[in-house]
């Protein structure tokens, strides 16, 4: 019986007559005549009688090994079983497509592994923003009686200037807070990118890496709300125009429906471009390129990205409530004021003690939530690139680990056979 492998598929020798070795050739497409009794195939009944007993078997190199999995073969002989392939994890996440829990765990692991850098950045931003907010509130909005004077039919010039000054001061505070948050997001994105590779980074190094992209990131952060607001405005516009034309009831109904449609479009656009910030920072891209990259990565996974971002928002709101509700109670106890009465207008002024304690609560909540939101967004961007672009292979190469997760054998030849006997 001939045990040599046959010709590969498509070979022309498959149609030639078979040489039987005695000068005779068989006809093409028909088996040659047999001399003597037919041979039993190796898979006949005799083969079944030579089977080893069921259960565990002994490998030639010694030791007992379990039977291979269905459809597989023993990984090797004599050297034991090879370890199963696992995703490498040089840093805070395994280099493979991530689940929701792994994304959240990766953001928390980044804080634990680099807590000095992460909490230092978040604390600095929180102190700056909350200090400015407290000062603006204490100087311009602590006494709201000036704003109530605008309810008069003919407010004086001094009352109008006070109201305008308070509005401008509050707007400047909000703008500075947005810029500080942008800087923190940029720095924390860089830290998260290094943490994925298992590399540490200080605040100074993160600042030097993120500083060239900060102007572009500011432009992106200012552009995204304009895009969302434009979609919302486009939904309201037809109803408002119809109401101005004289059909007030129909215009109001159309404006309501258009408002819901514009709100849905705004949320869709916000999620579509939610990964633009990490794309801009980690790829050193421009604003328009980052927007296109985010749209490409989110395409086909909009609901997944929306669900994760919504879950993070709920977690942030819960953390803020857990921190700020007790802080407000302490502020009312020491300051003697009520935030509800102040916001409703029943109490036209509050004390500085009340504002300072409220500001301390804001510092604590911002320090805890800012690394979470920035880390989840960066890891969600990395996860989408792993799913679509096999980024895990590049990350494994950059981290210096095998991409299949199987440890490599030691260098050099192994021990030779025992020849003492």
């Amino acid at each position: 019986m001939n045990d040599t492998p046959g010709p590969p598929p498509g070979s022309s020798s498959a149609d030639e007559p078979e040489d039987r070795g005695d000068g005779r050739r068989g006809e093409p497409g028909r088996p040659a005549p047999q001399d003597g009794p037919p041979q039993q195939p190796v898979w006949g009944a005799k083969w079944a009688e030579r089977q080893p007993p069921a259960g565990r078997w002994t490998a030639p190199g010694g030791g007992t090994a379990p039977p291979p999995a269905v459809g597989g073969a023993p990984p090797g002989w004599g050297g034991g079983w090879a370890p199963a392939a696992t995703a490498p994890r040089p840093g805070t996440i395994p280099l493979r497509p991530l689940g929701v829990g792994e994304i959240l765990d990766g953001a928390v692991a980044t804080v634990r592994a680099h807590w000095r850098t992460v909490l230092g950045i978040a604390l600095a931003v929180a102190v700056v923003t909350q200090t400015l907010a407290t000062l603006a509130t204490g100087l311009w909005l602590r006494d709201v009686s000036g704003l109530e004077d605008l309810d008069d039919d003919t407010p004086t010039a001094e009352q109008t200037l006070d109201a305008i000054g308070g509005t401008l001061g509050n707007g400047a505070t909000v703008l500075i807070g947005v810029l500080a948050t942008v800087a923190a997001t940029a720095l924390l994105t860089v830290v998260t990118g290094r943490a994925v590779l298992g590399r540490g980074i200080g605040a100074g190094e993160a600042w030097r890496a993120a500083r060239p992209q900060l102007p572009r990131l500011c432009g992106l952060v200012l552009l995204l709300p304009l895009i969302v607001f434009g979609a919302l405005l486009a939904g309201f516009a037809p109803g408002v125009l119809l109401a101005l034309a004289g059909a007030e009831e129909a215009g109001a109904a159309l404006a309501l429906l258009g408002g819901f449609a514009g709100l849905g479009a705004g949320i869709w656009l916000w999620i579509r471009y939610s990964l633009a910030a990490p794309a801009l920072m980690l790829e050193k891209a421009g604003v328009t390129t980052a927007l296109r990259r985010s749209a490409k990565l989110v395409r086909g996974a909009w609901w997944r990205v929306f669900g994760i971002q919504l879950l993070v928002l709920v977690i942030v709101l819960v953390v803020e409530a857990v921190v700020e509700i007790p802080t407000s109670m302490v502020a009312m106890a020491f300051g003697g004021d009520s935030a509800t009465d102040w916001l409703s207008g029943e109490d036209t002024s509050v004390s500085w003690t009340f504002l300072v304690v409220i500001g301390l609560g804001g510092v604590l909540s911002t320090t805890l939530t800012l690394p979470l939101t920035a880390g989840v967004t960066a890891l969600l961007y990395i996860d989408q690139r792993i799913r679509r672009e096999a980024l895990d292979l590049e990350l494994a190469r950059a981290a210096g680990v095998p991409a299949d997760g199987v440890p490599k054998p030691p260098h050099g030849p192994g021990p030779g056979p025992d020849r003492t006997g």
Side-chain angles (χ1 to χ4, degrees):
M1 185 174 180
N2 188 11
D3 294 331
T4 58
S11 175
S12 59
S13 62
D15 296 331
E16 296 181 357
E18 181 183 358
D19 190 357
R20 300 179 55 213
D22 56 357
R24 294 180 295 173
R25 292 178 179 268
E27 296 180 4
R30 179 180 299 175
Q34 299 287 338
D35 293 335
Q39 298 179 359
Q40 288 287 342
V42 296
W43 52 83
K46 296 294 184 181
W47 179 82
E49 299 176 358
R50 295 194 297 269
Q51 285 295 295
R56 302 172 64 88
W57 50 275
T58 302
T64 303
V70 177
W77 294 87
W81 291 83
T86 57
R89 183 168 182 165
T92 54
I93 60 170
L95 300 184
R96 56 171 172 74
L98 304 175
V100 178
E102 290 173 325
I103 293 177
L104 296 175
D105 180 70
V108 176
T110 302
V111 178
R112 290 200 306 263
H114 310 285
W115 63 271
R116 289 186 179 88
T117 303
V118 172
L119 295 183
I121 294 172
L123 180 61
V125 171
V127 168
V128 171
T129 55
Q130 291 297 327
T131 299
L132 293 176
T134 301
L135 290 176
T137 304
L139 295 176
W140 290 295
L141 300 177
R142 185 167 62 95
D143 188 356
V144 298
S145 59
L147 299 178
E148 294 178 351
D149 293 338
L150 294 179
D151 296 336
D152 299 338
D153 295 334
T154 57
T156 63
E158 183 179 358
Q159 294 171 347
T160 303
L161 290 176
D162 289 341
I164 294 175
T167 303
L168 293 177
N170 194 28
T173 302
V174 172
L175 179 60
I176 294 174
V178 169
L179 295 178
T181 304
V182 166
T185 302
L187 297 175
L188 294 175
T189 300
V190 173
V191 174
T192 303
R194 296 290 184 87
V196 169
L197 300 177
R199 301 172 182 172
I201 184 173
E205 186 180 355
W207 169 254
R208 288 190 296 271
R211 184 173 55 187
Q213 293 296 104
L214 286 180
R216 296 175 180 176
L217 186 60
C218 291
L220 176 65
V221 171
L222 296 177
L223 180 61
L224 282 178
L226 292 179
I227 294 175
V228 176
F229 180 75
L232 186 61
L233 185 61
F236 276 114
V240 173
L241 293 177
L242 185 61
L244 293 177
E248 296 182 357
E249 294 183 358
L254 183 60
L256 181 62
L257 294 177
F260 282 114
L263 180 62
I267 295 175
W268 182 81
L269 289 172
W270 184 267
I271 298 301
R272 177 181 174 88
Y273 298 126
S274 61
L275 304 183
L280 186 144
M281 291 304 306
L282 298 179
E283 297 183 25
K284 310 298 181 182
V287 175
T288 56
T289 303
L291 291 174
R292 288 196 299 265
R293 289 286 292 143
S294 177
K296 179 181 178 181
L297 294 174
V298 174
R299 186 182 300 119
W302 190 93
W303 284 105
R304 181 174 184 271
V305 176
F306 171 73
I308 294 176
Q309 296 283 25
L310 182 61
L311 176 62
V312 173
L313 177 61
V314 172
I315 294 175
V316 168
L317 293 177
V318 170
V319 173
E320 289 180 348
V322 169
V323 173
E324 295 182 2
I325 289 178
T327 305
S328 300
M329 298 176 64
V330 173
M332 289 186 291
F334 284 91
D337 302 295
S338 173
T340 304
D341 295 341
W342 176 55
L343 294 176
S344 63
E346 297 179 7
D347 188 1
T348 58
S349 64
V350 291
S351 64
W352 278 101
T353 304
F354 177 84
L355 294 178
V356 169
V357 176
I358 292 292
L360 292 176
V363 168
L364 182 58
S365 63
T366 302
T367 303
L368 295 177
T369 58
L370 187 58
L372 178 64
T373 55
V376 167
T377 303
L379 292 178
L380 189 55
Y381 158 81
I382 294 174
D383 173 61
Q384 288 301 115
R385 286 200 61 186
I386 289 176
R387 293 172 182 270
R388 294 181 178 271
E389 303 172 0
L391 182 65
D392 51 334
L393 302 180
E394 298 182 14
L395 293 176
R397 190 180 304 113
V401 297
D404 55 2
V406 178
K408 303 300 181 184
H411 296 289
D418 186 5
R419 301 181 182 274
T420 57

